[in-house]
């Protein structure tokens, strides 16, 4: 087989492309890398601007104090619970709503779609929402973290478009001839063929639940119910370190030393699960989003 001849212009184009992409990669990755090495380096070197590419005076004292704190561990456990349960509810409701909307024989789907679209642009606002939540008895109740925003219209549109594009009408007709009902067709045919869009929805909803702190800030009072992000926000923005983190440290300079270590360590601890999860879902991500966004 003859090799395709590469012209001089192609070589120049590829070289420029590689240089530009390498620059973009460094710009994107360096801040994350800096936080990683700052979390295990001497905070004095970090504040003096001495830290560039390699950690200085490596210490794991920040991580040690993070995982000794009771509230951090509680926040981590709560966030995992809210993310798993909330995402499961999100996926169930989204797919159950998207399937009938993708069926051409479902009368009233256009009217229902318009109704759903209106909620994308208009909402009741914070105070009416708070009054409804209070009336439902969800104030200071962990269920508010998984029930509020249980379904996203934007994600319904993506899922509906995916089903319209990927599930042929002939497949349903063949299933009906075999005596298949809508529920059986949905559970035995549609869901197994929708792994790509389900993976995308898991990523979308999972990130929202993992980073959620505003709902907890408004509706939760008991710190035992706080998600990790709300605790992280207090530490990063309000500089409120827990007593367990500062245990046995009386000197103010040493307290600031440990506080800086904890701040960088907390960013890594809070981000690590999503960074680990993303590569496993990435292979479905492009396929699911592209197919789901082609047709409106």
């Amino acid at each position: 087989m003859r090799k395709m001849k590469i012209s001089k212009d192609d070589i120049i184009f590829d070289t420029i492309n590689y240089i530009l992409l390498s620059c973009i990669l460094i710009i994107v990755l360096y801040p994350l890398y800096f936080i990683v090495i700052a979390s295990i380096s001497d905070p004095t070197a970090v504040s003096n601007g001495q830290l560039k590419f390699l950690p200085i005076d490596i210490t794991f004292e920040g991580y040690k104090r993070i995982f000794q704190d009771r509230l951090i561990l509680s926040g981590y456990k709560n966030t995992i619970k809210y993310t798993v349960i909330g995402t499961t509810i999100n996926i169930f409701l989204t797919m159950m709503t998207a399937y009938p909307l993708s069926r051409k024989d479902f009368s009233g789907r256009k009217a229902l779609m318009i109704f759903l679209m209106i909620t994308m642009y208009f909402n009741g606002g914070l105070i009416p929402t708070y009054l409804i939540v209070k009336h439902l008895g969800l104030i200071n109740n962990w269920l508010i973290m998984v029930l509020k925003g249980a379904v996203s219209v934007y994600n319904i549109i993506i899922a509906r478009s995916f089903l319209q594009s990927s599930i042929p009408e002939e497949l349903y007709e063949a299933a009906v001839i075999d005596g298949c009902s809508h529920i059986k067709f949905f559970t035995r045919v549609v869901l197994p063929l929708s792994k790509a869009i389900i993976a995308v929805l898991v990523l979308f909803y999972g990130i929202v639940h993992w980073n959620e702190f505003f709902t907890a800030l408004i509706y939760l009072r008991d710190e035992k119910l706080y998600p990790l992000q709300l605790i992280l926000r207090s530490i990063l923005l309000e500089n409120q370190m827990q007593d367990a983190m500062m245990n046995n440290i009386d000197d103010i300079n040493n307290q600031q030393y440990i506080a800086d270590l904890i701040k960088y360590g907390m960013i890594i601890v809070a981000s690590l699960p999503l960074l680990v999860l993303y590569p496993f879902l990435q292979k479905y991500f492009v396929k699911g989003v592209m197919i789901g966004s082609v047709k409106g």
Side-chain angles (χ1 to χ4, degrees):
M1 185 177 178
R2 297 178 59 186
K3 290 184 178 179
M4 183 181 295
K5 187 177 179 180
I6 301 175
S7 67
K8 185 179 178 181
D9 290 341
D10 290 336
I11 294 174
I12 295 174
F13 178 78
D14 289 343
T15 304
I16 294 174
N17 250 347
Y18 281 122
I19 293 173
L20 285 176
L21 291 175
S22 299
C23 292
I24 294 173
L25 181 66
I26 292 172
I27 292 172
V28 172
L29 285 184
Y30 183 74
L32 181 60
Y33 173 72
F34 180 83
I35 292 173
V36 173
I37 59 177
S39 68
I40 57 174
S41 297
D42 181 2
T44 306
V46 178
S47 59
N48 291 339
Q50 298 173 349
L51 188 67
K52 300 296 182 184
F53 300 105
L54 294 175
I56 299 175
D57 296 334
I58 295 178
T59 174
F60 294 95
E61 186 66 22
Y63 288 104
K64 180 182 174 183
R65 291 183 178 274
I66 287 171
F67 287 106
Q68 281 180 344
D69 185 72
R70 175 187 55 81
L71 200 55
I72 294 292
L73 295 178
S74 169
Y76 223 110
K77 185 176 68 176
N78 288 335
T79 296
I80 293 173
K81 181 174 77 172
Y82 300 154
T83 301
V84 173
I85 298 176
T87 303
T88 303
I89 294 173
N90 295 144
I91 299 297
F92 176 77
L93 293 178
T94 300
M95 293 304 293
M96 289 290 288
T97 308
Y99 173 67
L101 290 174
S102 70
R103 299 291 313 163
K104 294 180 180 177
D105 54 348
F106 176 50
S107 59
R109 67 171 185 153
K110 290 186 179 179
L112 183 57
M113 203 63 229
I114 292 172
F115 174 76
L116 291 175
M117 291 284 288
I118 292 173
T119 65
M120 289 182 67
Y121 301 101
F122 303 98
N123 62 71
L126 181 61
I127 294 176
T129 305
Y130 182 88
L131 294 176
I132 291 174
V133 171
K134 183 179 180 182
H135 181 72
L136 294 173
L138 294 177
I139 298 294
N140 204 30
N141 187 331
W142 70 270
L143 288 174
I144 186 62
M145 297 298 294
V146 298
L147 294 181
K148 185 174 179 294
V151 67
S152 162
V153 177
Y154 176 78
N155 290 335
I156 287 176
I157 294 172
I158 292 178
R160 183 205 63 172
S161 301
F162 179 90
L163 296 180
Q164 285 177 336
S165 306
S166 305
I167 310 297
E169 185 68 21
E170 292 77 9
L171 196 59
Y172 173 72
E173 292 172 355
V176 169
I177 293 174
D178 290 338
C180 195
S181 65
H182 273 296
I183 294 178
K184 284 185 179 179
F185 181 69
F186 177 72
T187 55
R188 298 183 181 182
V189 178
V190 174
L191 289 183
L193 294 176
S194 304
K195 291 178 182 176
I197 193 63
I198 290 176
V200 172
L201 293 177
V202 167
L203 191 62
F204 282 175
Y205 282 122
I207 289 175
V208 170
H209 283 291
W210 188 267
N211 293 326
E212 179 64 84
F213 75 93
F214 187 72
T215 301
L217 185 67
I218 300 297
Y219 300 107
L220 295 183
R221 305 285 182 270
D222 189 350
E223 65 178 16
K224 293 180 181 178
L225 300 176
Y226 284 177
L228 181 64
Q229 299 300 333
L230 189 57
I231 299 168
L232 177 63
R233 174 185 173 276
S234 301
I235 293 174
L236 294 178
L237 299 183
E238 300 172 10
N239 207 28
Q240 293 179 356
M241 300 296 167
Q242 308 304 320
D243 293 338
M245 291 183 180
M246 295 300 167
N247 192 25
N248 300 325
I249 302 177
D250 296 326
D251 184 72
I252 295 178
N253 290 332
N254 285 336
Q255 284 188 1
Q256 187 60 46
Y257 174 91
I258 295 298
D260 290 340
L261 278 176
I262 290 173
K263 286 178 182 178
Y264 287 115
M266 280 296 299
I267 295 174
I268 300 299
V269 169
S271 307
L272 191 61
L274 290 181
L275 293 176
V276 172
L277 178 65
Y278 184 78
F280 295 100
L281 298 179
Q282 192 269 341
K283 63 180 179 181
Y284 300 107
F285 190 77
V286 175
K287 181 182 176 184
V289 170
M290 289 304 293
I291 294 178
S293 60
V294 169
K295 294 183 179 179

